[in-house]
Amino acid sequence: NAGVTQTPKFRILKIGQSMTLQCTQDMNHNYMYWYRQDPGMGLKLIYYSVGAGITDKGEVPNGYNVSRSTTEDFPLRLELAAPSQTSVYFCASSPQAVSYEQYFGPGTRLTVT
Amino acid sequence: RKEVEQDPGPFNVPEGATVAFNCTYSNSASQSFFWYRQDCRKEPKLLMSVYSSGNEDGRFTAQLNRASQYISLLIRDSKLSDSATYLCVVNINTGGFKTIFGAGTRLFVKA
């Protein structure tokens, strides 16, 4: 099992550009999550999904969109990138919510200039 | 007040030392608790879940005090490889789902 994979590993965007961060898991987990981590800060939940076709907002959803058409994939879309979106983005998955371990991907380091 | 608070450290300890981290949470609807470890520029990985009865995994012991709303992690006989950031994580289920990560406590173990 590859676990949770994310692409790209690094990306530099100009202000106003758009991009999609890819996330795939091969563990057949129902729950998937997107977090961002700013330097010296805890992870903040952007969006999560409880299964294919179902998504919901987390703590900091503004400026992002997600979709979940399959169990395996959970892409995160940034529209009109802003410097405030410079961060490290982690995707995670878990078999269920709340009481279960989350498995994280290696992260995408995004810089918006 | 932050929902999950940790002492940011850093904690600088010699090899073989015992070190303890505390974490407080503010939401009484918090349902499950975890300690994750995050190495520099890497993803978080689960260290251990935290149960009300306390639990131990080798050199690591986790405790939960629901009345006082805090969680602790004790590391005995510290190794150089224990150097990392330790994240306190709380899951809250109040009809909706919410996971809160603490900002982390940095640990440096020195020879």
Side-chain angles (χ1 to χ4, degrees), chain A residues 33-51:
Chain A
Y33 318 85
W34 273 106
Y35 294 92
R36 60 176 287 172
Q37 185 176 33
D38 299 326
M41 306 291 286
L43 280 73
K44 294 193 183 298
L45 184 65
I46 304 171
Y47 271 96
Y48 69 98
S49 169
V50 303

Side-chain angles (χ1 to χ4, degrees), chain A residues 33 94-102, chain B residues 31-34 36 46 49 51 91-93 97 99:
Chain A
Y33 318 85
S94 65
Q96 296 293 337
V98 185
S99 299
Y100 288 83
E101 172 185 2
Q102 293 185 24
Chain B
Q31 188 167 336
S32 57
F33 310 87
F34 306 88
Y36 279 72
L46 180 70
S49 302
Y51 305 117
N91 281 344
I92 303 168
N93 193 355
F97 167 77
T99 292

Side-chain angles (χ1 to χ4, degrees), chain B residues 6-21:
Chain B
Q6 296 183 248
D7 182 343
F11 285 62
N12 292 289
V13 302
E15 273 188 295
T18 295
V19 61
F21 306 138

Side-chain angles (χ1 to χ4, degrees), chain B residues 31-93:
Chain B
Q31 188 167 336
S32 57
F33 310 87
F34 306 88
W35 284 102
Y36 279 72
R37 171 193 168 124
Q38 187 173 25
D39 293 309
C40 188
R41 302 177 73 84
K42 299 286 190 181
E43 72 272 23
K45 292 184 179 178
L46 180 70
L47 179 66
M48 57 199 305
S49 302
V50 187
Y51 305 117
S52 296
S53 55
N55 47 302
E56 187 174 310
D57 183 3
R59 298 181 293 108
F60 299 85
T61 300
Q63 297 276 355
L64 166 63
N65 185 320
R66 285 189 184 270
S68 301
Q69 296 187 183
Y70 81 80
I71 306 148
S72 64
L73 177 68
L74 183 76
I75 305 175
R76 291 180 300 276
D77 189 22
S78 299
K79 311 292 185 191
L80 294 175
S81 57
D82 293 334
S83 297
T85 297
Y86 291 84
L87 307 174
C88 173
V89 181
V90 174
N91 281 344
I92 303 168
N93 193 355

